[in-house]
């Protein structure tokens, strides 16, 4: 059986101007132009997008889920980064 | 397996236990999270079977594209069959996040190692079958698929959200075809009735064996891959569909079908389980045809896939040479 | 609008509709048979664009004619001699290279044609063209990319692409053919002067062939006749399949 692998590309779609690109899934394609074409046909058949990014899946560097606690938990107790940490009297108005 | 981690209080818990706790708390599992091998295998099998079904399912309907009786029907059918290819691809994409390669999954389909939904081994001899598939087969699929939008594996759930959103036009498309036939000439009405006769029981079989004979169901429910039992979903489908058939003025081919006031559901007759297992084994009307078609398509296309890969390789080499020369 | 003018316009809308209809039907034959699943979706997309156009052109033709024929009556109830599509679009799919060759030649012409038609004095034709030119730009991008991939891919794909091109090349010339009726519409600012497109289209084709490492086929046999109903044998089979339901159940609604 012939096995020619068209590489995997991750697809990001901008839904409309003003929004950021959002990951929607992946496609297989032999080259970048084909990846754009395939992503267009697969993920924007119902006007879901105005712009596309395709990225070779092999080029994505991801954080390790095992590091989740050490990467993300230290942020949990930094409540002073949030506006509600500070007491401002109501008389001052919206701030 | 004896791998353990500490719970918040410092007590050791197994990875399996922590995984199950996570699921019980209705949290999603994402691709790189730890998961039991059996969970991964179950998902790969289920998602790839689902993908294969979409791809094989293009055949019984696709063969009516060139014969659709009006241009309006033709474009709707093309868009629908195109969606099926799209759904197959969303699902292959979801399965790939579990480490399965699409080439391997496709190879398993082509050799017959992997299964696809038996419903697509039935034939579509008349235009009314296109209506019946949309109405009944897509209707049954929606019953099965809506709960999958909340399945525990994130990429599968997200793919199913897309699929369900797009499927909603499929069933309406099918029902509209049936409606026009049912209100048409006597010949057309008969065509619609014959199609309902052909597709009714196979549609009920789509939900799989009765709960007491469905060996993998309990584990899948525990993992929240599956959220309702086969019989529960089948009943839901029957309850939903009977009034739709009545509206069409068509007769569901089951003499035992009747409303049960006490249960608040329709009772229905015994299902042809022998047929179910026969088709599963490859003895349905179109099993051989569907597989031969897919295999021929795949081998006929090999030179195209190779050419595109070769061209991409040449382009890469040219770019590298250009960079070196600069 | 004079009766003669209206007859010309009817025939013109019909030609445009028939080109789209027959090519859309041919592409529809690829469904589930494409070399890769992504290509099923791509070819169906092009097919849908073409059927969309066909419906608008045929509906318009029926209105101009004024005899109560709608898109379906025109699509399903005319015989071979009543169709006025170019011979190119009725050619069988052959292998994928053959289909790409047919599509590329059509698209290379169609982009220029639809661009010019946006300037038509006929508001309906101009509006369809404004939409079609965007579609055709994408179709051309798709078919041209594949022409290059196959031409410059493997030895086998190169040979198949060259063979497909040789197969379809003779039918290119008919796309530039003008007759008296179209010329009258050109003079009225409604139709496109097909001859005037030749230089641009041939340059576009030549450019792609060079990139695809393909050689330009020799100009020999240049069949015409599609516009006046003289078709190849292939069209009859296509219609037999496409029209079967309407013929088998006359007068029924679907």
């Amino acid at each position: 059986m012939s096995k020619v692998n068209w590489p995997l590309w991750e697809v990001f779609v901008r839904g409309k101007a003003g929004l950021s690109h959002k990951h929607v899934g992946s496609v297989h394609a032999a080259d970048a132009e084909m990846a754009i074409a395939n992503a267009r046909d697969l993920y924007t058949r119902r006007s879901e997008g105005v712009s596309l990014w395709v990225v070779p899946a092999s080029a994505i560097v991801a954080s390790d889920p095992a590091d989740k606690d050490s990467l993300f938990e230290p942020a949990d107790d930094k409540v002073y980064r949030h506006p509600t940490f500070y007491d401002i009297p109501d008389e001052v108005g919206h701030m | 397996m004896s791998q353990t981690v500490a719970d918040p209080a410092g007590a050791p818990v197994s990875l399996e236990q922590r995984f199950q706790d996570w699921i019980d708390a209705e949290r999603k599992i994402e691709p790189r999270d730890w998961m039991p091998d059996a969970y991964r295998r179950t998902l790969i099998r289920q998602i790839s079977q689902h993908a294969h079904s979409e791809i094989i399912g293009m055949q019984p309907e696709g063969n009516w594209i060139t014969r659709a009786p009006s241009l309006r029907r033709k474009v709707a059918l093309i868009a629908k069959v195109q969606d099926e290819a799209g759904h197959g691809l969303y699902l292959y994409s979801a399965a790939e996040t579990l480490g399965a390669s699409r080439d391997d999954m496709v190879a398993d389909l082509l050799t017959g190692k992997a299964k696809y939904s038996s419903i697509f081994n039935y034939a579509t001899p008349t235009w009314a079958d296109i209506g019946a598939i949309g109405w009944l087969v897509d209707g049954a699929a929606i019953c099965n698929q809506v709960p999958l939008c909340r399945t525990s594996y994130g990429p599968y759930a997200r793919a199913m959200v897309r699929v369900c959103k797009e499927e909603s036009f499929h069933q309406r498309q099918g029902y509209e075809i049936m409606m026009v036939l049912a209100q048409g000439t006597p010949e057309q009405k008969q065509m619609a009735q014959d199609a309902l006769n052909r597709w009714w029981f196979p549609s009920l079989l789509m939900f799989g064996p009765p709960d007491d004979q469905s060996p993998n169901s309990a584990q899948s429910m525990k993992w929240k891959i599956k959220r309702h039992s086969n019989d529960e979903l089948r009943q839901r489908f029957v309850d939903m569909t009977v009034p739709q058939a009545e509206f069409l003025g068509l007769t569901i081919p089951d003499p035992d079908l009747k409303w049960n006031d006490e249960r608040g559901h329709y009772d229905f007759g015994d299902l042809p389980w022998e047929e179910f297992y026969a088709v599963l084994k490859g003895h349905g009307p179109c099993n051989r045809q569907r597989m031969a078609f897919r295999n021929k398509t795949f081998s006929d296309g090999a030179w195209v896939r190779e050419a595109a890969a070769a061209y991409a390789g040449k382009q890469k080499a040219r770019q590298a040479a250009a960079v070196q020369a600069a | 609008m004079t009766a003669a003018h209206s007859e010309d316009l009817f025939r013109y809308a019909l030609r445009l509709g028939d080109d789209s209809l027959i090519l859309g039907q041919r592409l529809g034959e690829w469904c589930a048979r494409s070399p890769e699943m992504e290509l099923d979706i791509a070819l169906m997309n092009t097919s849908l664009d073409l059927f969309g156009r066909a419906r608008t052109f045929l509906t318009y033709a029926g209105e101009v004619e004024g005899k109560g024929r709608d898109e379906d009556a025109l699509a399903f109830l005319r015989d071979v001699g009543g169709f006025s599509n170019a011979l190119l679009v009725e050619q069988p799919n052959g292998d994928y290279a053959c289909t790409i060759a047919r599509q590329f030649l059509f698209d290379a012409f169609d982009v220029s044609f639809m661009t010019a038609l946006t300037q038509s004095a006929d508001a309906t034709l101009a509006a369809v063209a404004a939409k079609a030119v965007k579609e055709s730009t994408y179709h051309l991008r798709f078919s041209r990319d594949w022409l290059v991939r196959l031409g410059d891919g493997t030895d086998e794909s190169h040979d198949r692409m060259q063979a497909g091109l040789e197969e379809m090349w003779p039918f290119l010339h008919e796309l530039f053919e003008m007759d008296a009726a179209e010329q009258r519409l050109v003079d009225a600012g409604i139709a496109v002067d097909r001859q005037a497109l030749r230089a641009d289209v041939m340059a576009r084709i030549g450019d792609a062939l060079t990139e695809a490492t393909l050689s330009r086929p020799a100009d020999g046999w240049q069949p015409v006749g599609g516009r006046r109903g003289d078709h190849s044998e292939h069209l009859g089979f296509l219609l037999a399949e496409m029209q079967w339901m309407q013929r088998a159940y006359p007068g029924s609604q679907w």
Side-chain angles (χ1 to χ4, degrees):
Chain A
M1 188 176 298
S2 132
K3 274 187 83 169
V4 177
N5 299 321
W6 285 359
L8 191 67
W9 306 69
E10 297 297 334
V11 179
F12 301 79
V13 176
R14 185 197 296 286
K16 56 181 181 185
L19 298 180
S20 53
H21 285 77
K22 183 170 175 267
H23 182 246
V24 290
S26 61
V27 292
H28 282 271
D31 55 54
E33 285 74 26
M34 198 197 292
I36 288 282
N38 290 352
R40 175 248 193 201
D41 287 341
L42 188 56
Y43 292 103
T44 67
R45 286 199 303 292
R46 288 176 172 80
S47 314
E48 292 96 333
V50 295
S51 165
L52 280 169
W53 288 349
V54 292
V55 182
S58 59
I60 295 207
V61 180
S63 63
D64 186 339
D67 295 339
K68 194 163 60 184
D69 293 353
S70 61
L71 285 175
F72 307 114
E73 256 183 37
D76 289 353
D77 65 356
K78 312 287 192 293
V79 288
Y80 42 80
R81 286 190 174 126
H82 299 277
T84 48
F85 179 74
Y86 302 93
D87 290 326
I88 305 288
D90 288 347
E91 301 92 279
V92 179
H94 179 72
M95 185 179 281
Chain B
M1 256 188 268
S2 57
Q3 267 180 297
T4 58
V5 289
D7 76 0
V13 287
S14 69
L15 284 170
E16 278 87 353
Q17 188 54 51
R18 196 172 66 159
F19 176 82
Q20 189 61 50
D21 292 346
W22 188 265
I23 297 229
D24 291 343
E26 293 290 339
R27 293 189 183 130
K28 298 291 182 214
I29 306 300
E30 291 297 338
R32 287 160 55 92
D33 291 337
W34 185 89
M35 62 187 83
D37 284 343
Y39 177 85
R40 184 185 300 274
R41 278 199 307 274
T42 302
L43 275 173
I44 291 175
R45 193 184 62 232
Q46 180 172 332
I47 300 173
S48 63
Q49 272 184 18
H50 192 162
H52 300 330
S53 303
E54 298 279 356
I55 298 304
I56 298 290
M58 294 170 71
Q59 290 181 44
E61 293 183 276
N63 77 41
W64 273 95
I65 285 177
T66 51
R67 293 178 291 167
S70 74
L71 293 180
R72 180 172 180 272
R73 293 286 175 220
K74 193 189 286 277
V75 293
L77 184 60
I78 294 174
K80 179 182 185 231
V81 177
Q82 196 188 34
D83 274 350
E84 278 157 20
H87 298 171
L89 293 178
Y90 299 155
L91 289 159
Y92 283 126
S93 165
E96 286 190 292
T97 63
L98 291 156
S101 90
R102 187 168 112 187
D103 293 292
D104 291 342
M105 292 185 274
V106 167
D108 285 349
L109 170 66
L110 296 175
T111 58
K113 191 177 156 208
K115 298 280 177 228
Y116 55 87
S117 175
S118 281
I119 196 74
F120 300 116
N121 289 318
Y122 290 88
T124 51
T126 75
W127 172 248
D129 293 298
I130 298 308
I133 288 188
W135 172 36
L136 300 172
V137 175
D138 290 310
I142 290 169
C143 282
N144 267 326
Q145 290 172 359
V146 166
L148 287 173
C149 296
R150 295 189 299 124
T151 196
S152 61
Y153 185 60
Y156 190 21
R158 292 192 286 275
M160 291 315 300
V161 169
R162 285 191 89 91
V163 168
C164 287
K165 215 159 76 185
E166 299 184 355
E167 289 262 338
S168 57
F169 104 76
H170 296 182
Q171 196 188 11
R172 294 169 68 99
Q173 177 255 176
Y175 194 74
E176 198 190 78
I177 291 174
M178 294 301 273
M179 219 159 58
V180 172
L181 293 176
Q183 294 162 3
T185 64
E187 209 176 4
Q188 284 178 306
K189 185 165 183 184
Q190 189 59 48
M191 193 190 276
Q193 181 63 54
D194 290 345
L196 172 57
N197 295 349
R198 275 193 289 278
W199 291 92
W200 176 253
F201 284 113
S203 300
L204 297 192
L205 298 179
M206 278 175 73
F207 294 92
D211 293 347
D212 53 12
Q213 289 160 49
S214 180
N216 301 321
S217 283
Q219 182 61 67
S220 282
M221 303 259 284
K222 191 171 169 228
W223 279 331
K224 298 192 195 288
I225 293 174
K226 202 176 154 134
R227 287 176 175 269
H228 305 280
S229 78
N230 295 351
D231 287 332
E232 202 182 328
L233 291 168
R234 187 166 15 241
Q235 182 71 58
R236 190 179 293 180
F237 173 71
V238 171
D239 292 347
M240 188 179 86
T241 309
V242 172
Q244 295 169 352
E246 283 167 359
F247 181 84
L248 293 175
L250 299 177
T251 310
I252 288 178
D254 178 356
D256 297 323
L257 184 83
K258 60 172 182 301
W259 178 253
N260 182 328
D261 233 356
E262 213 171 292
R263 292 204 306 126
H265 292 292
Y266 283 94
D267 290 336
F268 50 94
D270 291 335
L271 300 184
W273 290 110
E274 268 174 47
E275 176 180 315
F276 175 81
Y277 290 107
V279 179
L280 202 61
K281 261 192 283 185
H283 301 158
C286 299
N287 296 60
R288 291 180 184 201
Q289 181 190 333
R290 302 282 183 252
M291 288 296 288
F293 185 104
R294 196 66 222 156
N295 272 285
K296 181 175 186 318
T297 297
F298 186 80
S299 51
D300 285 354
W303 69 270
V304 177
R305 297 190 299 274
E306 283 158 16
Y311 175 74
K314 284 185 191 177
Q315 284 294 86
K316 218 178 259 179
R318 279 173 204 145
Q319 278 158 10
V323 169
Q324 207 139 43
Chain C
M1 200 157 53
T2 66
H5 175 85
S6 149
E7 170 73 14
D8 288 346
L9 184 58
F10 163 68
R11 302 236 160 262
Y12 193 58
L14 205 57
R15 284 177 185 185
L16 302 182
D18 287 349
D19 279 350
S20 306
L21 178 72
I22 301 301
L23 187 56
Q25 176 77 3
R26 280 292 186 221
L27 290 176
E29 293 172 13
W30 272 104
C31 180
R33 287 184 171 79
S34 308
E36 187 50 285
M37 293 172 272
E38 282 84 353
L39 294 177
D40 277 322
I41 304 185
L43 294 173
M44 291 312 105
N45 257 355
T46 303
S47 165
L48 281 174
D49 287 342
L50 291 168
F51 279 123
R53 257 181 235 183
R55 294 179 68 186
T56 317
F57 282 134
L58 293 180
T59 300
Y60 186 48
E63 285 165 12
V64 172
E65 187 193 34
K67 291 183 185 164
R69 290 202 281 182
D70 63 7
E71 58 178 39
D72 287 334
L74 288 168
F76 296 104
L77 299 175
R78 282 179 296 154
D79 203 346
V80 170
F83 273 83
S84 56
N85 58 279
L87 299 172
L88 175 69
V89 297
E90 73 198 42
Q91 297 309 306
N93 285 341
D95 65 6
Y96 185 65
C98 219
T99 291
I100 289 296
R102 185 184 63 203
Q103 194 64 38
F104 170 70
L105 296 179
F106 182 83
D107 295 338
F109 173 84
D110 203 41
V111 164
S112 293
F113 181 87
M114 287 299 170
T115 305
L117 191 63
T118 59
Q119 303 306 311
S120 173
D122 183 289
T124 305
L125 296 182
V128 184
K131 181 166 173 292
V133 74
K134 293 175 198 159
E135 296 166 352
S136 295
T137 302
Y138 184 80
H139 300 168
L140 175 64
R141 176 176 161 172
F142 177 86
S143 58
R144 189 189 190 281
D145 277 356
W146 272 104
L147 181 94
V148 172
R149 283 190 194 102
L150 297 179
D152 192 20
T154 61
D155 290 346
E156 180 183 4
S157 72
H158 176 88
D159 293 350
R160 283 178 184 259
M161 195 62 245
Q162 186 68 46
L165 197 61
E166 303 281 349
E167 185 79 22
M168 295 298 167
W169 190 263
F171 303 103
L172 171 63
H173 303 279
E174 190 189 16
L175 299 180
F176 299 105
E177 184 196 32
M178 293 293 294
D179 62 10
E182 280 201 21
Q183 191 54 55
R184 283 193 296 273
L185 289 175
V186 169
D187 297 340
I190 288 172
V192 173
D193 181 358
R194 296 167 179 271
Q195 288 289 344
L197 309 176
R198 188 185 277 274
D200 275 358
V201 173
M202 295 315 289
R204 182 176 294 133
I205 291 173
D207 182 51
L209 293 186
T210 306
E211 195 181 331
T213 72
L214 295 164
S215 39
R216 182 190 153 133
D219 292 317
W221 180 51
Q222 299 184 8
V224 291
R227 300 303 183 193
R228 48 171 201 273
D230 292 339
H231 290 279
S232 65
E233 290 182 348
H234 305 300
L235 185 62
F237 290 97
L238 181 148
L239 296 184
E241 190 170 348
M242 183 173 83
Q243 300 182 336
W244 174 62
M245 288 294 288
Q246 290 266 355
R247 303 290 191 179
Y249 302 92
S252 302
Q253 297 301 307
W254 300 99

